[in-house]
Amino acid sequence: MKKVSGILLFLLLASTLTLAFNIQSVKTEWTGTVYIRADGSIDPPDAPIVTFDNITYELTGSITSFNSGIIIERDNIIIDGASYSIESPDDYYNGGGIEIRGRFNVTIKNCKIQGSFLFHFYIVNSIHIYMLRNNLAECGVGVYIRNCSNINFSYNFIKVLYGVDAVILSECNDSIFENNIIEGNFGAGFSITSCCNLTFEENTMKGEFYSGFSVYGYPPKLQHYLHKISSSNLINGKPTYYLINVSNLDINPNEYPEIGYLALVNCTKVTVRECTLQRQAVTLAFTNDSSFINCTFSRASLILQYSHTNFLSDNLIVDGNIELWYSFDNVFRRNSITFYEHPVFPAFYVLDVSLEGYINDVDLSNTIDGRPIVYWVNQRKATVPENASLVLLVNCSEIIVQNLYIIGIPHFAAIQLVSCINCSICNNVIKNDYLGVYLRESSSNYIYGNLLESRIGMVLGRFAEGSNNNLIWNNTFKNNMYGLWLIFANDNKIFHNNFIDNYQHVRLSVFNLNNLWDDGYPSGGNYWSDYSGVDCYSGPYQNITGSDGIGDTPYVINENNVDRYPLMGPFGGLTFRGRNVAAYPSTDVCLIFENVTSEGATSVKVTSVGPEPPSGFKLAGNYYDIKTTANYTGTIRLRIVYDDSNMTLEEEMSLRLMQWDGALQKWVDITTSIDVENNVVFGETTHLSIFAIFTVALPVVIAATIDIKPNVLNLGCRGEWVTAYIELPEGYNVVDINVSTLMLNETIPAELRPTAIGDYDNDTIPDLMVKFDRAKVISYILANVNMTELIEKRSITVTLTITGKLYDGTPFQGSDTIRIIMPMPGGIYKRLYKAFPI
């Protein structure tokens, strides 16, 4: 412990004198947070720190804190650590070792800060802050400085353990960083974002890290990149080249044998060729018409920021990546990205706020782990190669992205659509470090049959840029932090998807988004692994006794986004272990197993070919060959949706669900109920085989040719008969007509005699002559026509239909038209008028 001049004298007089300064008692162990208050006081007063003038504060012992170490609320002071430590125990990651907010003219020197503080130095909104000869050990983030100016950070030692940035600078200006040593396993030595006029001299960085410097500017302003970073800064012993306003320069191994960090700022026509660049974020900022050719990037990134019309070819990037930030019209040829270790950053990343920023020329010769990068702009009606490592579609339409298997390759988004319409993303397996599928300002696309298992399964939209009217079905979102993230998306139809074990199945960034989360009843909605509802009822209102594989209560995401018909089991056939387990092998088929003893998969093969229908029935749709690999006991309830578009009501009411018994070689009726309103038939069985829906086979009605005489029926003339001649089509014989079944308009029977078989119309086809009572025919006609029209027109046309059966019961039917004439007034007219008054 350092001696403080005059301390003994002050201690002796402390009980009798009122002092103008504070003296703190010395402790070897002290725990808590120390505050240097605005009035100069030390809080709490027993903290191991001393001052005599409220300007210089010196530690007299070490500080252990589970939150922040020292918080400074006073300007114009000096903190001297006197080589004592400020320490946070392991695994807390709270607060800062020393925190300065909104202060002026503060010096911190000779401090040793170590342990698991979130930041060892945390400095914001301050001016003239000096950090000198401090030892920052066992850091997460060593230093965080934001919105500050006139900072001097010199002669400090930082040792980083956790792979994060050592010094983070954001919106800082006119500051100096010199003669610092940074060691360890870290991201960037100096991470610089939106800063101006910083100076870096003679800093040394060494160890396992991403880059000595990392420089970004947003919004895009050149001054955010105009820093003085000299070659005296060494990165693993190699010099830094931060080149500004350079043109027509050739950088090659002969002229630049060692490069620790390379940045080209506001440069033109610079060529970098055959260089080996290790552990650095090579940056092009506001740089145009330049080239990187045949270079090797080892655990390094090639980053283009606000840079255009550059040419990059034949570069090898090992355990690194390419990033394009607001950069367009660049050309990429034969660049290869290869990973041997687990990657940290997206392999090929593009970001811009406008469509223009995505317009780059990247052909299929660029690869990731030997597989092509598909970066298509303004393409239509094409299929992405199935060995693609990354898909980025810009302003495309009718593109098919299918059967991709993207696992372990780091991507911001494995499949990304920017301003695309009518594209299909189907049957892909994506297990990615970050995002599976991203639709930005892309609408009317089809996304189905995908397995998405990443940090985020799928994202729709970007703030103020909607992705709307997309159809998303039969996808599995599994083990994601967010299964489906809707940032700005409306009117998307999302159904028959499986949301399984995600931290949050659906995230909505805007509350009033409106999307449809089901396909109605009985098709249903989605499977949600955290759904707690039960299935005791059926029907569109879930108020009919009996389960149907659909939850009785909705799954509510928010008041505007509700799945009305949540599925009780995964769609696609996955069959879990348990009781009353629902399985959905297809859209139309649902099974509910009474007891599944071991998990498996249930499948259905739908075909038009199967065993012959039972006698008196015909097939009403398809055969369903249902199988499962799950082990089960007890009964199985089936629910099959049918199509009634080609059925009569009589046929629909006669539907039966039957199962083929292979041992008995016959169909067994397993029907329990039919819902004709919603086109669902229910059944129950104890085992699986072939199923089918049958209906009663109603006989085919033969189309007969009918000729009725007279062609003109004068209602005023007397006669005994109306004669009809009946012809049957080829394959049938009028001899087989049962005359007793013949009816005219299903009302007037034919006379049993006389009848005759001949060829009345001389067409070589036999016909049967039968007769109907003329008076009855006239009475029927007058009772069924518009008499006002008949009286006014005196002549109208009517259709007469004859029905009957053959002796074997086969029905036939035919029609003919005749003209009826009303006689002139008087006589019979008066009698008819009296009989059938208007």
Side-chain angles (χ1 to χ4, degrees), residues 173-199:
N173 306 318
D174 305 314
S175 299
I176 297 174
F177 301 83
E178 60 183 8
N179 290 290
N180 300 287
I181 298 175
I182 302 175
E183 292 184 355
N185 177 12
F186 52 89
F190 293 94
S191 175
I192 306 163
T193 303
S194 301
C195 298
C196 298
N197 193 32
L198 305 184
T199 299

Side-chain angles (χ1 to χ4, degrees), residues 304-323:
L304 279 65
Q305 302 177 47
Y306 319 106
S307 296
H308 318 300
T309 60
N310 297 289
F311 181 73
L312 303 97
S313 72
D314 300 286
N315 298 292
L316 174 62
I317 301 167
V318 179
D319 294 326
N321 72 326
I322 296 174
E323 299 179 18

Side-chain angles (χ1 to χ4, degrees), residues 15 26 77 101 177 198 219 263 275 314 430 549 586-587 618 635 663 668:
S15 61
V26 175
I77 64 171
R101 294 181 173 88
F177 301 83
L198 305 184
C275 292
D314 300 286
I430 301 174
S586 74
T587 300
K618 66 178 181 178
T635 60
V668 178

Side-chain angles (χ1 to χ4, degrees), residues 615-620 648 650-656 694-699:
S615 177
F617 287 87
K618 66 178 181 178
L619 186 65
T648 66
E650 184 180 1
E651 288 175 330
E652 186 172 12
M653 297 300 295
S654 303
L655 288 176
R656 309 306 294 171
F694 297 110
T695 188
V696 173
L698 300 176

Side-chain angles (χ1 to χ4, degrees), residues 348-384:
F348 194 100
Y349 176 60
V350 183
L351 175 67
D352 205 295
V353 296
S354 67
L355 176 63
E356 179 187 36
Y358 286 87
I359 308 300
N360 292 285
D361 183 355
V362 184
D363 71 5
L364 295 177
S365 68
N366 300 279
T367 63
I368 301 172
D369 284 342
R371 297 164 57 184
I373 296 172
V374 177
Y375 191 129
W376 287 351
V377 179
N378 300 328
Q379 298 290 317
R380 66 186 301 266
K381 292 187 177 180
T383 299
V384 168

